[in-house]
Amino acid sequence: MGDSRRNAPTSSSVSSRPRAAALLQRLPSAPGFWRSPVRGVPFTALLGLVLLAGITLLFVTGLLSYAAYNPDLAPVNDKTPDKGLLGFYLFPWPTSPHWLYRLTQGLHVTLGIVLVPVLLAKLWSVVPRLFTLPPARSLAHALERISLLLLVGGALFEFVTGLLNIQLEYLFPGSFYPLHFYGAWVFFAAFLAHAGLRTPQAVRVLRSGGLNGPVAGDVLESPAPAPPTLSRRGALAMVGAGSLLLLVTSVGRSFDGPLRRLAALTPRGAAEPGSGPNGFQINKTAAAVGITTADTGEGWWLTVSGPAGNLRFSREQLLAMEQHSAALPIACVEGWSTSDQWWRGVRLSDLAALAGYPDRPPGVLVESLQRSGPFRRAALRDNQVRDPRSLLALQVNGEDLSPDHGYPARIIVPAAPGVLNTKWVARLTFGEL
């Protein structure tokens, strides 16, 4: 006869089961681990719809910013040479309205800052899903989890690199331009897939139950919520207040008005850097890029090249030519911009005529005295050269350019990104690029 006690559970194994069960309930994968009463599908759905609209606009304005660099014009403008089909949408960047880049890039950067609280709240609201077990119930579920990983990782990458670029803190490896460009495409592909799957559900949830209405099978709502300290409406109000605060402390960097002095979170948005005609924002000083008075003094000459050969002009000779004026802003990829400044100098089209293109001037390659760094050489399209407001500027606001603003001569072109308005110009080469 067998011993009936052979397969009976021991007292130690019986006592260990409650401890194991209690331990499992303390893990993030347990439904009761996340106890905030704020979480729930309605709360997440509303944040998701805000991000759907905001991130779509971010992506479009980001593409416009990339197009403004004319990367398909010449290799010196293209910081993403392996873009391939991702450059399908590129088009010749216009010069009118003259504030176009200031608007699109200011909107891109300001909206990116304002959406930070919304993004963080959305990630907080769905964090229980990251720990659900099993990690993949089927191949389709596994693919969905992978797309979510790309979505979350891409969002964090794009926002972090963008915010660091605004602050001129390049802590990431490699160039900002290709990293942000390729990261945007990866993120937006995952974003579109996620939006396609979730947007109809989000709309149905908000239509049926509202923000606090019950949702059948709500996997985000805690089965044992903690006592509420804040309602969902209150949580949304906090998110909105955070976004409003960021708006007030950042929008002045991109647009004129009384909020300019409140742009405390931005390196180029607060008080003007000085007084007088040259007292407006810059990114790089002459000293920072190694430009000295020996480079810009009496020994400086501008070389203009084209079918007519290589022509050389002193600053005095340029000042003796017919002078033209244009009121144009400076707008940079970091989102900061100036109000319209009154520039005066020689039209690029007039210099092209001297170079041998009297009728329809082509594009031009601009070279700076700056010896290293990105965009010390830049190409401008023919439509930019032909615009009568495009100048080789010698003065600003009635005074000679300061060294930091590009003395002895700089480029100023309507609607062009700041880096294409080359400072300390040494050479202009007109021709097919």
Side-chain angles (χ1 to χ4, degrees):
M1 177 181 292
D3 190 346
S4 61
R5 294 173 298 175
R6 181 178 300 170
N7 296 322
T10 64
S11 59
S12 60
S13 65
V14 172
S15 61
S16 65
R17 289 176 182 174
R19 289 199 298 271
L23 178 62
L24 290 174
Q25 291 302 312
R26 290 196 294 269
L27 295 177
S29 56
F33 181 86
W34 307 96
R35 301 189 60 203
S36 172
V38 173
R39 283 192 182 91
V41 168
F43 182 76
T44 300
L46 185 55
L47 294 173
L49 290 177
V50 173
L51 287 175
L52 174 63
I55 288 179
T56 300
L57 185 55
L58 272 183
F59 186 69
V60 171
T61 52
L63 293 184
L64 290 176
S65 176
Y66 182 61
Y69 281 73
N70 289 321
D72 57 339
L73 175 62
V76 294
N77 285 18
D78 192 359
K79 303 307 176 184
T80 53
D82 300 321
K83 60 184 178 298
L85 294 177
L86 297 182
F88 69 92
Y89 66 92
L90 294 174
F91 57 93
W93 187 251
T95 57
S96 292
H98 71 277
W99 40 259
L100 179 61
Y101 187 74
R102 187 185 189 197
L103 173 65
T104 59
Q105 190 61 13
L107 182 60
H108 179 76
V109 171
T110 302
L111 182 59
I113 295 173
V114 168
L115 285 179
V116 167
V118 184
L119 175 67
L120 294 178
K122 176 68 169 9
L123 295 178
W124 172 85
S125 73
V126 299
V127 71
R129 285 182 176 170
L130 299 179
F131 298 93
T132 55
L133 296 176
R137 297 188 297 270
S138 64
L139 177 60
H141 185 241
L143 292 175
E144 182 185 1
R145 295 298 292 271
I146 293 173
S147 70
L148 285 176
L149 179 64
L150 293 174
L151 179 68
V152 174
L156 292 175
F157 179 82
E158 286 298 288
F159 274 80
V160 169
T161 54
L163 291 172
L164 287 174
N165 180 64
I166 292 168
Q167 298 297 331
L168 308 177
E169 295 288 349
Y170 301 105
L171 305 179
F172 36 82
S175 171
F176 167 77
Y177 298 96
L179 288 175
H180 204 65
F181 176 79
Y182 294 124
W185 279 106
V186 171
F187 163 67
F188 199 69
F191 178 75
L192 284 179
H194 183 73
L197 292 171
R198 297 296 183 186
T199 300
Q201 178 191 14
V203 173
R204 287 196 302 270
V205 165
L206 294 177
R207 282 180 175 176
S208 61
L211 185 60
N212 294 311
V215 176
D218 190 340
V219 296
L220 295 175
E221 189 167 323
S222 173
T229 57
L230 187 69
S231 68
R232 286 177 180 169
R233 294 186 186 277
L236 286 173
M238 286 187 61
V239 173
S243 291
L244 180 60
L245 178 63
L246 291 177
L247 176 65
V248 170
T249 53
S250 62
V251 70
R253 73 196 318 269
S254 303
F255 304 102
D256 294 332
L259 294 179
R260 170 77 75 171
R261 294 184 175 275
L262 298 180
L265 299 182
T266 58
R268 300 291 182 271
E272 304 291 349
S275 59
N278 280 273
F280 55 95
Q281 291 85 351
I282 56 171
N283 252 2
K284 296 178 182 178
T285 64
V289 297
I291 301 295
T292 66
T293 53
D295 301 310
T296 60
E298 294 182 356
W300 176 85
W301 292 84
L302 171 71
T303 301
V304 178
S305 299
N310 293 326
L311 309 176
R312 300 180 72 205
F313 301 97
S314 67
R315 194 170 191 277
E316 289 70 22
Q317 289 173 319
L318 292 169
L319 285 168
M321 296 179 184
E322 185 177 359
Q323 302 291 294
H324 298 272
S325 298
L328 300 172
I330 295 287
C332 284
V333 68
E334 297 90 0
W336 68 266
S337 63
T338 73
S339 57
D340 287 355
Q341 309 297 320
W342 194 253
W343 306 91
R344 188 165 177 80
V346 182
R347 283 176 174 166
L348 292 183
S349 57
D350 291 344
L351 293 171
L354 294 174
Y357 294 100
D359 297 324
R360 290 185 61 81
V364 63
L365 176 66
V366 184
E367 299 178 69
S368 173
L369 291 171
Q370 184 178 337
R371 296 171 182 82
S372 62
F375 295 104
R376 64 187 181 88
R377 301 168 72 231
L380 298 174
R381 286 192 184 275
D382 54 358
N383 66 310
Q384 293 174 312
V385 173
R386 295 168 190 167
D387 193 297
R389 297 166 295 179
S390 296
L391 303 176
L392 178 73
L394 306 172
Q395 297 177 322
V396 63
N397 298 322
E399 188 175 281
D400 287 348
L401 295 168
S402 70
D404 290 342
H405 281 296
Y407 181 90
R410 70 169 296 161
I411 296 294
I412 187 71
V413 173
V419 290
L420 298 185
N421 292 306
T422 308
K423 297 192 286 188
W424 314 294
V425 176
R427 188 182 189 95
L428 300 174
T429 303
F430 292 91
E432 297 301 323
L433 299 171

